Amino acid sequence: MKPNWQAFATLLLSALAFSGTTDAVEGGLVHTNAIRTIDLRSLPAVTEQIGVVVQNVRDSKAIKTFTVYIPHTKADRLAKVTVHERKSGAELQVSKMENEPFKYSWLPQPIEYRATFLQPLQPGEKISLNIDCVYLNTIEPRPKVVEQTGDQTWLWKDDARLLWAYPIHKEKTVVRTNGEIKSYSQIKESSKDGKSVTFGPFIGGEDLNAPVEVRFRDNREQLEAMTHRREYFVSHWSNDLNILEHYALRNRAPALDAFDKVKQTMSRFMKARDNFVKTLLVKVPADAREMYVVDEIGNVSTSSVTSRQRLNGDAFKVMQLKPRYPLAGQWNYTWWHGYSVPLSNYLRVNRNHHALRVPFIGSIVGSASQNEEIPLTAINTYNTAVSKYELRITLPEGATNVDVRVPFDVDSIRQMPQSYYFDSSGRTVVVVEHANVAPSAVDAHVLVTYDYSMLSLWQKPLVIAFVVFALFALTSLGSRMQLGLAAKPALTAKKTQ
């Protein structure tokens, strides 16, 4: 049995709360009360909100920062961390600390984030904070194999106590689900109320428990974009912004014990529920044109695009893809689609300075509905988690002084040269990479600024014209040159009488 390092660390740190050695723990802060709420109602995203009261127990020194630990067991699924003051709602600046030494070197290294208070916390002063963490794909189906029409049952598991950087006096965990709770860990301090389970309260270092579990039913669709690449191609000559999206999608539902085509067809006509994703809905701009879909294995049997729609003040179109074989649990599906929009709707120009503002990521929704027409409101449903994302923006040839701004921290931003047809000096491609994209990123935009002169605009036509002229000149010159051996003049024999 593997040691529960997080539980051991929590016990150690909690014990310090009663040892009177407040400076032994980083910063001289103490958690007087903490309530953690696990929201499992927006799967595959799991939202963890921690309401905590923090007190400065130092005698004379104010404290400026607050540390949040993310256990190493969940770090690779973390999508977002934010910290707000509960009273004012103001968001604190949060920074990820790289290579920070962990005081307890014999424990696995957690991921450390540090929030900066808006005003230094004075000695004896208390402040209430909300810590919001979003994780993707942290729950698993249990059982892993079901019948085509069987219920989907999921398992959430975590430690009953949090890993804190400071002593904790009192804490509890509340888990909320969307469906019926089938079972949960029966520990000393646990209770069930409808669709929620409470673990705790735990006082200081007492009643430290092993990892707890909640098993619940939820038949809604859950998809994972294992890889998603979105590409923008900027063309000033044609006032065109071409968008291309590549998807490798997986249905996270439990696998089927056996696939029965007859049963699947019958459920479609009887409007019965099953575990197949039958339609993929892609939200595209209202001004999108020239839309297309490319499927490597030919699984798309039907594709269509709605007319211009409007919902909550947002204008858009919906591209509907219906696979010939619906996606069963644990099945994968790969394809790419594209379309064009007018560049002028996304680009602002001030002489030679250009500012391109485009959406960070597109949205896709999977639907298991048996109906031919899916309600328009379904397009705003979140049920696809992006595990690995790449954004590429190809700027026109001749763009210089490129600057990229993303409204949140990403894994990497880089620029690389790329040559296309008839390019002479190559183009700049902006590449943004990020793992575990938070649901809120759908509303985010990327701002790319660059300089692009009129000479750069005419660079490619002038180069092409020069090459064509040079070819004609070389052809003309070559036609006037004698490259072979000169023929000998014919000898005329003179007849002599």
Side-chain angles (χ1 to χ4, degrees):
M1 181 177 181
K2 295 182 179 180
N4 185 4
W5 294 113
Q6 181 179 339
F8 178 70
T10 305
L11 175 61
L12 178 62
L13 293 172
S14 299
L16 291 172
F18 299 93
S19 65
T21 314
T22 57
D23 287 339
V25 181
E26 178 189 348
L29 293 176
V30 169
H31 297 317
T32 60
N33 190 23
I35 300 177
R36 176 175 60 157
T37 302
I38 309 294
D39 192 346
L40 304 177
R41 296 173 296 182
S42 299
L43 301 175
V46 175
T47 302
E48 184 174 297
Q49 184 181 79
I50 307 168
V52 61
V53 179
V54 182
Q55 183 180 14
N56 182 355
V57 295
R58 284 182 170 174
D59 296 331
S60 59
K61 188 176 180 180
I63 298 176
K64 298 180 180 180
T65 61
F66 171 82
T67 298
V68 178
Y69 282 152
I70 303 297
H72 75 286
T73 54
K74 299 192 295 183
D76 59 343
R77 295 295 185 178
L78 179 66
K80 185 178 182 181
V81 178
T82 57
V83 181
H84 294 80
E85 285 188 357
R86 189 180 307 171
K87 184 176 180 180
S88 64
E91 183 174 352
L92 307 187
Q93 180 181 354
V94 178
S95 303
K96 184 178 180 180
M97 310 307 295
E98 301 290 348
N99 302 319
E100 284 291 313
F102 189 42
K103 290 188 175 184
Y104 311 102
S105 57
W106 61 90
L107 299 177
Q109 176 82 29
I111 305 300
E112 180 179 339
Y113 288 85
R114 191 164 296 173
T116 303
F117 294 122
L118 299 179
Q119 298 292 335
L121 194 64
Q122 300 301 321
E125 186 178 0
K126 293 183 179 181
I127 188 172
S128 298
L129 301 175
N130 283 337
I131 307 168
D132 295 294
C133 302
V134 179
Y135 299 93
L136 302 182
N137 304 322
T138 57
I139 65 169
E140 296 295 334
R142 292 292 187 275
K144 294 185 177 181
V145 179
V146 297
E147 298 179 353
Q148 287 186 187
T149 57
D151 284 334
Q152 300 178 20
T153 306
W154 302 87
L155 179 68
W156 170 88
K157 59 181 180 180
D158 201 348
D159 286 295
R161 305 291 299 273
L162 285 168
L163 178 61
W164 294 107
Y166 315 102
I168 177 74
H169 289 175
K170 181 181 179 182
E171 67 175 313
K172 70 176 180 179
T173 295
V174 180
V175 181
R176 295 175 177 172
T177 68
N178 187 69
E180 176 190 0
I181 295 176
K182 296 291 187 178
S183 63
Y184 64 97
S185 298
Q186 302 285 341
I187 63 175
K188 180 180 178 181
E189 300 291 343
S190 65
S191 61
K192 173 187 172 184
D193 182 12
K195 297 180 181 179
S196 66
V197 176
T198 301
F199 299 103
F202 304 103
I203 308 301
E206 298 177 357
D207 300 324
L208 187 66
N209 297 280
V212 291
E213 300 179 352
V214 176
R215 187 168 162 267
F216 61 99
R217 176 177 58 84
D218 195 331
N219 290 323
R220 294 175 301 171
E221 305 88 343
Q222 290 189 51
L223 299 174
E224 177 188 4
M226 298 175 290
T227 60
H228 177 198
R229 185 171 80 249
R230 185 179 180 94
E231 300 183 53
Y232 291 98
F233 297 90
V234 179
S235 175
H236 285 254
W237 266 102
S238 58
N239 185 34
D240 182 80
L241 180 63
N242 187 262
I243 302 171
L244 182 64
E245 293 193 277
H246 297 256
Y247 275 97
L249 208 63
R250 179 172 71 97
N251 186 354
R252 297 194 71 249
L256 301 181
D257 57 354
F259 175 68
D260 190 332
K261 180 63 177 178
V262 175
K263 186 182 294 186
Q264 192 266 331
T265 304
M266 289 179 60
S267 65
R268 183 179 63 185
F269 285 102
M270 298 176 63
K271 307 296 182 183
R273 193 202 69 80
D274 56 28
N275 294 321
F276 294 93
V277 173
K278 305 168 188 65
T279 307
L280 299 173
L281 307 176
V282 182
K283 188 176 182 180
V284 299
D287 52 5
R289 60 179 186 266
E290 301 173 2
M291 285 171 271
Y292 60 92
V293 179
V294 179
D295 180 12
E296 292 181 348
I297 63 174
N299 192 32
V300 172
S301 60
T302 304
S303 61
S304 61
V305 179
T306 66
S307 59
R308 181 186 179 100
Q309 306 291 328
R310 182 171 291 276
L311 183 65
N312 299 329
D314 183 20
F316 57 90
K317 295 178 182 177
V318 178
M319 181 188 297
Q320 298 186 9
L321 308 178
K322 289 184 178 291
R324 179 179 293 109
Y325 293 98
L327 294 181
Q330 303 303 311
W331 286 14
N332 299 337
Y333 181 40
T334 58
W335 83 97
W336 69 87
H337 62 263
Y339 52 91
S340 295
V341 294
L343 177 62
S344 56
N345 293 347
Y346 302 86
L347 185 68
R348 295 294 177 265
V349 181
N350 183 10
R351 295 184 180 179
N352 292 338
H353 189 69
H354 296 66
L356 178 69
R357 185 175 182 267
V358 294
F360 176 76
I361 192 173
S363 65
I364 186 169
V365 178
S367 175
S369 174
Q370 301 283 9
N371 300 323
E372 292 295 329
E373 294 188 5
I374 300 175
L376 186 62
T377 54
I379 194 63
N380 290 331
T381 304
Y382 173 82
N383 60 17
T384 303
V386 179
S387 297
K388 185 178 181 181
Y389 179 65
E390 181 179 309
L391 171 67
R392 293 193 174 200
I393 303 175
T394 303
L395 300 176
E397 187 179 24
T400 58
N401 298 327
V402 179
D403 182 62
V404 185
R405 300 178 185 178
V406 183
F408 49 84
D409 292 335
V410 294
D411 294 340
S412 68
I413 300 178
R414 56 189 172 91
Q415 300 178 22
M416 66 178 188
Q418 181 74 48
S419 295
Y420 291 90
Y421 300 109
F422 300 110
D423 284 350
S424 55
S425 58
R427 311 184 187 191
T428 298
V429 180
V430 175
V431 182
V432 180
E433 295 177 320
H434 193 53
N436 300 322
V437 180
S440 59
V442 174
D443 301 322
H445 288 76
V446 178
L447 180 64
V448 180
T449 59
Y450 58 94
D451 292 337
Y452 189 65
S453 64
M454 185 61 66
L455 179 61
S456 299
L457 179 65
W458 285 93
Q459 178 177 337
K460 178 172 289 188
L462 291 175
V463 169
I464 294 175
F466 175 79
V467 171
V468 172
F469 176 78
L471 289 175
F472 273 109
L474 290 175
T475 303
S476 177
L477 181 62
S479 65
R480 286 172 170 76
M481 296 178 62
Q482 184 68 37
L483 301 178
L485 297 176
K488 292 183 178 181
L491 297 176
T492 305
K494 294 183 179 181
K495 295 182 179 180
T496 56
Q497 300 289 330

